Amino acid sequence: LKQHHEQASACSLGLGARCVPQQQQQEQAVQGFMQRQPRYRIRSSTVCAAAAVESSPAAAAALPKLSDLPLQAIINPQGFVSPDVVPGTSAAVFSVYDEQQKLQYIGFSKDLRASLRTVLGRRPDKAFYFKAVQMPVLDQEHMLALRQAWFDECGAPPSGNKLALERKAWQSAVDAGAISARAKPAAAADKARELQAAIKARGCVEEFTPDPDLMAEGQVDFLQSGDAVEQQAAAAASKAATVAANNGRPVRTATAVVDGQAKQFSVEYTGRYPTKGGFFMDVKLSFDHMDTKHR
């Protein structure tokens, strides 16, 4: 049993070379992803599913509940994939949600920003929001236990972990669908343009450059961006904060109960117009990294 557990843990994070036969499919998917990591420009990232490991009630009680974590937009208001990463973070367990905030996938990461870019590039129609627990050390056992606790909390694994085709879509490069070797590059180019258009339509201003080696094989995955993009994201966020402060517009923060949970939002008063006996007010409501305007 101990040997089985160690093999399952190693397989789940792409760090082991041997797994029991029923785990070979997962191992191959993870190894395929890890083998492509040297082609990426910066830090490696693991986006994979793991073999289920049972956790004790006592251990599960000490783990962060998925429902208690803040839901954050993958693309921030400035158009960047720029999650707040705690300095010294070595690993993370993260969950991905669609536009209706329905859980789609739970994965592991060594670089949260890189992993979020990867899932956005592969599934721009599904990857809208995320939750994450960041860890100072890469502890396979703890990460597996946390993921299993989230499965238990939700009643079952989400489709991206449970269903083979969905799992492949989250963990592997996008197959353009061409059969002949001659048609693969062109099909991959078409698929890359389709994905890039979908990402841009979501308001993302980052460049998504397809991996040329994978394109030749009829597959699409996007290279990771360099430090320059991270600096641009930080500068854009700083500029937005400065503009808001210089405008001198009153901003109020409030809390409302949504689905039984306290949620914080902010209201910015952007305009005021006199009427007979009162005023019209233009306001901007910000919640979950999304803005809406109202009068």
Side-chain angles (χ1 to χ4, degrees), residues 73 75 77 99 101 129 284-292:
I75 303 173
E99 189 172 11
Q101 301 183 9
Y129 302 95
K284 181 173 73 173
L285 179 66
S286 300
F287 177 70
D288 275 347
H289 295 273
M290 298 181 66
D291 298 331
T292 56

Side-chain angles (χ1 to χ4, degrees), residues 3-237:
Q3 182 182 11
H4 173 82
H5 174 77
E6 291 174 349
Q7 289 174 334
S9 299
C11 178
S12 71
L13 291 175
L15 302 176
R18 298 179 61 190
C19 290
V20 295
Q22 58 265 38
Q23 295 167 326
Q24 287 179 352
Q25 184 176 4
Q26 289 183 340
E27 181 188 35
Q28 291 170 359
V30 174
Q31 288 178 345
F33 184 88
M34 294 300 289
Q35 287 169 0
R36 291 195 293 275
Q37 293 305 296
R39 299 176 181 169
Y40 288 73
R41 293 175 177 167
I42 61 172
R43 295 163 286 184
S44 63
S45 164
T46 303
V47 182
C48 62
V53 175
E54 293 184 2
S55 56
S56 67
L63 298 171
K65 293 183 63 176
L66 187 60
S67 58
D68 290 339
L69 300 176
L71 187 71
Q72 304 175 64
I74 291 179
I75 303 173
N76 71 14
Q78 289 76 48
F80 291 90
V81 180
S82 184
D84 293 328
V85 177
V86 178
T89 296
S90 296
V93 181
F94 67 98
S95 55
V96 183
Y97 300 79
D98 64 14
E99 189 172 11
Q100 287 72 44
Q101 301 183 9
K102 180 181 178 181
L103 178 62
Q104 298 293 317
Y105 176 73
I106 298 175
F108 302 140
S109 175
K110 294 179 181 178
D111 182 331
L112 184 58
R113 181 179 185 278
S115 293
L116 293 177
R117 267 185 58 98
T118 297
V119 297
L120 174 63
R122 292 173 180 172
R123 315 225 47 192
D125 60 326
K126 298 272 189 177
F128 279 77
Y129 302 95
F130 76 97
K131 295 183 179 183
V133 169
Q134 301 178 44
M135 303 175 181
V137 294
L138 195 160
D139 185 333
Q140 298 180 44
E141 185 174 355
H142 181 67
M143 294 170 75
L144 285 165
L146 179 56
R147 197 200 66 162
Q148 184 61 41
W150 289 357
F151 284 173
D152 295 341
E153 180 182 347
C154 297
S159 60
N161 297 89
K162 183 178 180 179
L163 304 178
L165 290 178
E166 279 291 300
R167 185 167 61 244
K168 181 180 179 181
W170 288 105
Q171 296 175 11
S172 306
V174 179
D175 192 326
I179 299 176
S180 69
R182 188 174 184 178
K184 286 183 177 181
D190 289 341
K191 176 59 70 173
R193 284 191 289 269
E194 177 186 328
L195 292 170
Q196 288 168 329
I199 295 167
K200 185 176 181 180
R202 292 270 308 278
C204 186
V205 299
E206 294 187 28
E207 291 293 330
F208 277 72
T209 303
D211 184 327
D213 294 335
L214 289 177
M215 293 273 283
E217 300 171 7
Q219 297 180 320
V220 181
D221 233 353
F222 295 103
L223 298 169
Q224 292 299 335
S225 60
D227 292 336
V229 174
E230 294 188 47
Q231 294 171 1
Q232 292 172 7

